[in-house]
Amino acid sequence: MAGEIFRIRLAPSALTYSAAADETLLEEAGKAGIAVPAACRNGVCELCEARLLSGDALNTRNQQLIPVTGRLMMCRTLALSDLQLEIHAVMASGDNQPRKFQAKVVDVRSISHDVYRVELQLPRRRELSFHAGQYLSVNLPDTDPCYFSIASSPSAELIELHIQATPEWVSAQRVIDALTSGGEVTVELPHGRACLAAAPQKPLLLVAAGTGFAQMKSLVDYLRETSYNEPVKLYWGVRRHEDMYLRSLAQQWQEEWPPFTFLPVVGDDEDNDWSGHHDQLVRTVLASGMDWNNVEVHASGSPTMVYTLMDALVDEGLPQEAFFSDVLEYAPRG
């Protein structure tokens, strides 16, 4: 059986992943980026309990076959064939229900002329489940919620935000003023369906404008924790060099993670014709030479940028269902 690879399908989430015959179902789910609850990893805590719907599986504790409809602990189970499991604790992309929390403000610091990095600590952090690429709202008294992408991986202890704030951005500046006073703040999360509940099974194209980089950071941090080795290209478009507030981090990813390529698009680069819109970024992405029939695209930026990019890529052959952006949800076209 050693060397054999089987397909594991989880219900009701419909997530799938590959499992080697000599690795537990829990270990292989983790390599695929699927968040199965677990603690002891020894079959005692029962957090990774699932039910076998079809296929042949072995209980490594007693070396017995698990009967169909029988319960199993994924940390103590090997696949002997393709399997279908029922596990309600694993959510499909975007299916986690938003909840409100009182978050402790751990740190607020300026990382560019107009962007702040915020770190929040949530109570009972391990009980909170969200997917890479989702966002939250900061709820201040007597004002509408303000929404920000989560910039950290779902496994990170602290929640990271990148907030662009100037006196002209009244709502964002109000949030920064409230956070820098310390104490606690009410947040609601997670929101958004343009996210990853498992590592994709095809190359990934990430396109960000401005602080849309925060969402891409969450995706990259998450994927680096998995065994994902398909090509990942990140295009980050900004108007000026100083707007690329974590350029050194993106360059570090490129140096340390072989599948990753970083392609900055800066409006005031020499020989660049910056139009004041997003044409340059879209043109650069189109020139990437990717196989648009075999790629998944995640985009974060203004509705103008996102829809311009989506239309251009669909015209080039990208299936529309392979294009993901929160804009499609919060600013749908009529």
Side-chain angles (χ1 to χ4, degrees):
M1 297 291 291
E4 289 195 67
I5 303 294
F6 300 113
R7 202 75 187 141
I8 314 301
R9 180 180 174 86
L10 306 181
S13 67
L15 297 177
T16 63
Y17 66 99
S18 298
D22 56 353
E23 298 284 352
T24 69
L25 298 181
L26 181 64
E27 289 174 314
E28 296 292 76
K31 291 177 185 177
I34 296 176
V36 176
C40 74
R41 298 179 179 269
N42 196 35
V44 176
C45 72
E46 301 189 350
L47 290 178
C48 64
E49 180 180 346
R51 189 164 66 91
L52 181 63
L53 300 180
S54 66
D56 298 318
L58 181 72
N59 182 330
T60 62
R61 186 182 292 279
N62 59 20
Q63 298 300 306
Q64 298 293 312
L65 289 176
I66 298 166
V68 173
T69 74
R71 62 194 288 268
L72 58 86
M73 303 305 149
M74 293 179 66
C75 65
R76 280 291 188 171
T77 303
L78 300 179
L80 303 179
S81 71
D82 292 347
L83 303 179
Q84 183 168 2
L85 307 178
E86 181 181 66
I87 177 167
H88 291 278
V90 174
M91 298 287 185
S93 292
D95 280 356
N96 345 51
Q97 292 302 306
R99 298 160 56 192
K100 286 188 177 179
F101 299 88
Q102 285 297 113
K104 178 183 177 182
V105 180
V106 174
D107 188 46
V108 179
R109 66 181 61 191
S110 173
I111 56 174
S112 81
H113 64 287
D114 64 354
V115 176
Y116 295 82
R117 185 180 67 189
V118 175
E119 291 183 317
L120 304 175
Q121 186 173 49
L122 273 62
R124 303 182 305 281
R125 173 65 184 87
R126 296 188 183 278
E127 297 178 19
L128 169 66
S129 175
F130 68 90
H131 293 136
Q134 292 194 286
Y135 60 94
L136 57 69
S137 68
V138 175
N139 299 346
L140 301 179
D142 304 320
T143 188
D144 292 335
C146 289
Y147 295 92
F148 304 101
S149 292
I150 299 172
S152 41
S153 164
S155 67
E157 189 64 31
L158 299 178
I159 302 295
E160 179 180 343
L161 309 176
H162 301 164
I163 299 179
Q164 185 176 25
T166 66
E168 293 76 30
W169 293 66
V170 176
S171 58
Q173 187 63 55
R174 186 182 295 124
V175 169
I176 289 298
D177 291 342
L179 295 175
T180 51
S181 67
E184 295 188 340
V185 64
T186 301
V187 296
E188 183 177 84
L189 71 159
H191 295 284
R193 307 194 68 82
C195 54
L196 294 177
Q201 296 172 16
K202 58 177 70 173
L204 195 60
L205 176 66
L206 309 177
V207 184
T211 52
F213 175 79
Q215 184 179 31
M216 304 311 155
K217 179 180 179 297
S218 176
L219 297 176
V220 171
D221 284 351
Y222 162 76
L223 288 172
R224 293 185 69 188
E225 298 166 358
T226 73
S227 59
Y228 185 73
N229 59 8
E230 296 282 353
V232 180
K233 288 187 177 182
L234 168 64
Y235 289 84
W236 187 7
V238 296
R239 292 180 180 273
R240 298 170 297 173
H241 283 285
E242 56 265 37
D243 296 332
M244 198 163 282
Y245 56 90
L246 285 178
R247 182 171 185 155
S248 60
L249 176 62
Q251 292 169 331
Q252 181 182 336
W253 292 337
Q254 181 166 267
E255 294 167 2
E256 297 177 349
W257 191 32
F260 183 80
T261 304
F262 172 49
L263 300 116
V265 182
V266 184
D268 61 5
D269 271 345
E270 212 172 297
D271 299 325
N272 276 344
D273 179 22
W274 184 254
S275 66
H277 301 290
H278 302 286
D279 297 342
Q280 179 188 4
L281 177 58
V282 173
R283 287 198 307 269
T284 307
V285 172
L286 287 173
S288 66
M290 299 194 76
D291 177 4
W292 300 117
N293 288 305
N294 184 42
V295 66
E296 181 170 312
V297 179
H298 288 253
S300 183
S302 70
T304 299
M305 184 279 278
V306 168
Y307 283 116
T308 300
L309 177 66
M310 184 180 73
D311 291 343
L313 294 183
V314 169
D315 286 346
E316 290 294 316
L318 178 78
Q320 191 159 331
E321 61 271 18
F323 187 94
F324 297 88
S325 176
D326 291 321
V327 166
L328 308 185
E329 183 180 356
Y330 73 76
R333 291 196 286 204

